[in-house]
Amino acid sequence: MGNEAAVIPQESFAQRLLTGSVKKSYEPAVDMDWDAPLDPDKLFLPPEVISLYGTELWESMSHPERRELSRQELANVLSVGIWFENLLTRLLLRELLRDDPTTRHSHYTLTEMGDECRHMMMFGKLIDRIEARPYWPRLPGRLAIGALALFLRGSMTWVGALVGEEIFDALQRRTLDDPQLQPLVSRAMRIHVTEEARHIGFARDALARRVPTMSRAELAYTRLCVAVAAPLFVYLMTNRHMYERAGLDGRKARRIATNNPYAKQALGTGAANLGAFLDKHGLIGPIGKRIWRWRGLYS
């Protein structure tokens, strides 16, 4: 989609996304069977995307312990998704202040914001349905998330959108048809994948159009933010509190997960297309590549 979008005028591309939204969008409140019982044996994430998969610690765990870890990891992933989509919605709202409200580009921005609001509700309902607690940031975390809106401007609005959307999107695509997975989780991920594909195309198109107009300072700043995004993403995905709620030593489990080659491979698979896109447009410099490789996000 990225290559095709580069040669289509911005308004035509936005109109295509609007048309796609009309043809295929969801309302999670009615498009999911929230009263369906949970399977007492099935996992909440596929084994191969669970952070401890393949480690000695994982092999020592019983099925009920693995199931509980999968439940806590899903709750953490959904919580991070809510934080991110909250931030992204604020960034998109700021973009609208500079855009012409009569354009198709502005209209799709509003459409995406509506999607993100429904996704936040869906994630919140799913955390509640699996009888988990959200992993909500404490005051320092809330202040940091709020401060990001001050730094993510211009090209970084779209880089931030892609880092948050593409890696998560690639991982969740692996959950769609896994027979070991709770059907309710599969349904939520299918809804999110469908609508997120349009969001990713929108962000890629906007970023690709901006790159040729970047100053050296903006390019350097963008590369710096891209480099920082990798360790931040891994940090959020290996929240030590989720291990503690699963009955494990949180610090030890997080250290094992961070160095787990299977987890790095899963993250690398998820980040491969994004890394290639950023590299193609010169947005991931030598330092960024080293950091992404260190965290398993770049090959």
Side-chain angles (χ1 to χ4, degrees):
M1 179 176 285
N3 292 338
E4 186 180 4
V7 297
I8 297 176
Q10 186 178 48
E11 284 293 271
S12 298
F13 185 62
Q15 181 59 57
R16 281 181 52 193
L17 296 176
L18 286 167
T19 301
S21 297
V22 171
K23 290 180 178 178
K24 200 165 189 179
S25 289
Y26 297 91
E27 176 48 76
V30 297
D31 287 329
M32 291 185 63
D33 185 0
W34 294 106
D35 295 324
L38 298 174
D39 190 302
D41 294 318
K42 289 189 173 182
L43 300 175
F44 295 87
L45 287 172
E48 62 272 16
V49 303
I50 296 174
S51 62
L52 294 177
Y53 176 76
T55 64
E56 291 184 7
L57 180 55
W58 174 263
E59 295 302 325
S60 71
M61 296 169 70
S62 65
H63 179 73
E65 289 172 333
R66 292 176 179 179
R67 184 177 184 273
E68 177 60 15
L69 177 61
S70 74
R71 187 171 76 99
Q72 296 300 338
E73 288 212 17
L74 175 62
N76 182 62
V77 166
L78 295 173
S79 298
V80 172
I82 294 172
W83 309 347
F84 169 74
E85 295 194 340
N86 181 305
L87 174 61
L88 178 58
T89 301
R90 283 183 281 168
L91 297 178
L92 293 175
L93 187 61
R94 189 178 63 200
E95 288 293 309
L96 284 171
L97 290 174
R98 292 191 291 269
D99 289 344
D100 180 347
T102 68
T103 64
R104 299 296 180 266
H105 186 270
S106 290
H107 297 168
Y108 185 74
T109 300
L110 288 165
T111 300
E112 179 170 339
M113 289 171 61
D115 291 344
E116 302 295 19
C117 288
R118 289 190 296 275
H119 294 168
M120 285 187 278
M121 183 191 72
M122 178 173 69
F123 290 170
K125 285 178 69 69
L126 187 53
I127 293 171
D128 181 60
R129 182 65 188 86
I130 66 174
E131 299 179 341
R133 288 179 290 146
Y135 289 86
W136 218 236
R138 296 176 182 175
L139 180 59
R142 291 196 300 272
L143 293 175
I145 292 170
L148 281 174
L150 301 175
F151 297 100
L152 297 180
R153 294 180 175 274
S155 60
M156 281 312 303
T157 296
W158 307 111
V159 169
L162 290 174
V163 169
E165 290 175 339
E166 287 216 36
I167 301 175
F168 183 44
D169 181 72
L171 291 176
Q172 71 185 353
R173 285 176 182 273
R174 301 173 66 176
T175 73
L176 297 181
D177 300 308
D178 194 309
Q180 302 176 82
L181 198 65
Q182 296 285 348
L184 186 66
V185 177
S186 292
R187 177 61 175 167
M189 295 306 160
R190 186 168 294 281
I191 289 173
H192 196 241
V193 160
T194 300
E195 297 181 336
E196 207 72 356
R198 294 192 289 265
H199 302 174
I200 290 170
F202 188 57
R204 281 194 173 207
D205 179 68
L207 184 57
R209 294 179 190 281
R210 187 176 180 93
V211 168
T213 68
M214 284 185 182
S215 65
R216 289 186 177 181
E218 184 179 5
L219 179 59
Y221 178 67
T222 302
R223 286 178 169 178
L224 173 63
C225 292
V226 167
V228 171
L232 176 61
F233 186 88
V234 175
Y235 178 83
L236 293 174
M237 290 298 103
T238 55
N239 184 337
R240 70 177 175 86
H241 300 291
M242 70 186 184
Y243 302 116
E244 292 170 354
R245 290 188 192 176
L248 301 171
D249 181 323
R251 295 185 187 281
K252 178 182 177 182
R254 184 180 211 170
R255 186 168 59 251
I256 293 172
T258 301
N259 296 302
N260 180 10
Y262 293 96
K264 286 187 176 183
Q265 183 179 10
L267 286 173
T269 300
N273 288 336
L274 174 59
F277 175 80
L278 294 174
D279 193 22
K280 174 185 175 182
H281 291 284
L283 298 176
I284 180 168
I287 295 176
K289 288 179 182 179
R290 285 199 295 272
I291 295 175
W292 278 48
R293 286 192 184 101
W294 171 53
R295 286 304 189 186
L297 294 172
Y298 193 85
S299 57

